[in-house]
Amino acid sequence: MTFEVSAQAYVRFMGRYSSPLATSFADLADVRSGQDALDVGCGTGALTDVLVERLGADRVTAVDPSQSFVAALSAKHPDLPVQRASAERLPFADATFDRTLAQLVVHFMAEPAKGLAEMARVTRPGGIVAANVWADAGSPLALFWRAARELDPACRDESGRPGVSEGQLAALFTAAGMPGARSAGLSVQVDHPTFEEWWEPYTFGVGPVGQHVERLAPHDRAELRERCRSLLPAAPVTVDAQAWTVWWVKPDRMVPS
């Protein structure tokens, strides 16, 4: 799935959660000066920003399948190599990067195991491949989908996407030829001063959530909004979210499968 929406819409929708997650993710992946890093599925650059801050734009490369995001990130970081590419077909030679990272991307890959295998291919021996996805019950979108299912039990949420259930992301790493990957949970906490500030980005058409809202008739959309309001505490609203995170250190010599 691609996200051909404006960068501003995506930042308002998911950037409020992905930006704090990116710092913890880079810490876990031991991103530090002197490394070359690739951000796979960079989106609007929440993780890219952290990588550039730590490594410098000359040591960071980013790819994303959505042209709107590639254009926005290129404008934001003119000296950064940003390309339109999918995880399943990375346009780089073997063993190019010390850190190959994918934040909140694997569950939207067309072929997750293939995408992860490509990430391993372009990583140098001794380097780290790492990815995270929002946990099913711990996603910042979980309350929205709870309300949507209560009003329409037949609606398709994101709980069936690959990697979102416990253990699935690690299993995908194994399927991609990276056995023995390590797992952890990363948490973020975001405060929303008003219900309206929490709700409005759901109407921007971003991802499966935005598509669900856009399909609703005005009356049904208003009903969903009020159902969400009833499930949330009084403002200010604090959202606690958790992401499954898996990382793998590429050995000096790969054993043929």
Side-chain angles (χ1 to χ4, degrees):
M1 173 180 288
T2 58
F3 289 75
E4 293 297 353
V5 296
S6 74
Q8 183 179 12
Y10 186 83
V11 168
R12 288 279 309 281
F13 175 72
M14 187 52 67
R16 50 192 179 168
Y17 307 113
S18 59
S19 290
L21 178 65
T23 299
S24 298
F25 186 39
D27 288 343
L28 184 146
D30 192 26
V31 174
R32 45 196 165 81
S33 179
Q35 299 169 348
D36 295 305
L38 172 64
D39 185 358
V40 177
C42 59
T44 55
L47 177 60
T48 311
D49 291 345
V50 176
L51 297 177
V52 169
E53 181 181 357
R54 296 189 183 193
L55 307 178
D58 59 327
R59 307 303 293 265
V60 178
T61 302
V63 297
D64 196 275
S66 295
Q67 183 57 45
S68 60
F69 291 168
V70 169
L73 192 57
S74 295
K76 185 178 183 180
H77 295 289
D79 298 328
L80 182 77
V82 186
Q83 299 186 46
R84 187 177 186 184
S86 70
E88 294 86 351
R89 295 179 179 273
L90 294 175
F92 308 108
D94 295 356
T96 300
F97 303 100
D98 300 297
R99 297 292 184 270
T100 307
L101 312 178
Q103 173 162 290
L104 306 177
V105 173
V106 172
H107 53 320
F108 290 117
M109 290 181 184
E111 300 175 84
K114 183 177 180 180
L116 289 169
E118 274 285 270
M119 291 173 63
R121 178 185 66 78
V122 303
T123 303
R124 293 170 180 148
I128 290 177
V129 178
N132 63 42
V133 299
W134 292 124
D136 44 6
S139 167
L141 311 179
L143 185 135
F144 171 91
W145 285 120
R146 174 186 166 188
R149 288 193 305 270
E150 288 180 359
L151 297 175
D152 178 10
C155 79
R156 295 184 61 183
D157 60 18
E158 298 175 43
S159 61
R161 290 193 172 274
V164 302
S165 294
E166 187 170 7
Q168 286 184 347
L169 186 56
L172 286 170
F173 268 68
T174 300
M178 294 181 280
R182 300 177 64 185
S183 302
L186 294 178
S187 299
V188 299
Q189 187 176 80
V190 178
D191 295 324
H192 300 277
T194 66
F195 171 80
E196 287 70 22
E197 188 269 346
W198 176 89
W199 166 258
E200 186 183 21
Y202 287 96
T203 68
F204 293 165
V206 180
V209 162
Q211 293 166 14
H212 177 79
V213 173
E214 286 185 334
R215 286 193 295 265
L216 296 175
H219 173 272
D220 295 329
R221 186 181 302 184
E223 185 179 22
L224 175 57
R225 182 188 66 235
E226 294 312 307
R227 184 59 185 148
C228 288
R229 190 195 302 269
S230 72
L231 293 174
L232 286 166
V237 175
T238 298
V239 173
D240 293 294
Q242 183 181 48
W244 306 126
T245 308
V246 176
W247 71 101
W248 177 77
V249 180
K250 186 171 183 176
D252 290 338
R253 297 184 64 182
M254 295 289 287
V255 178
S257 57

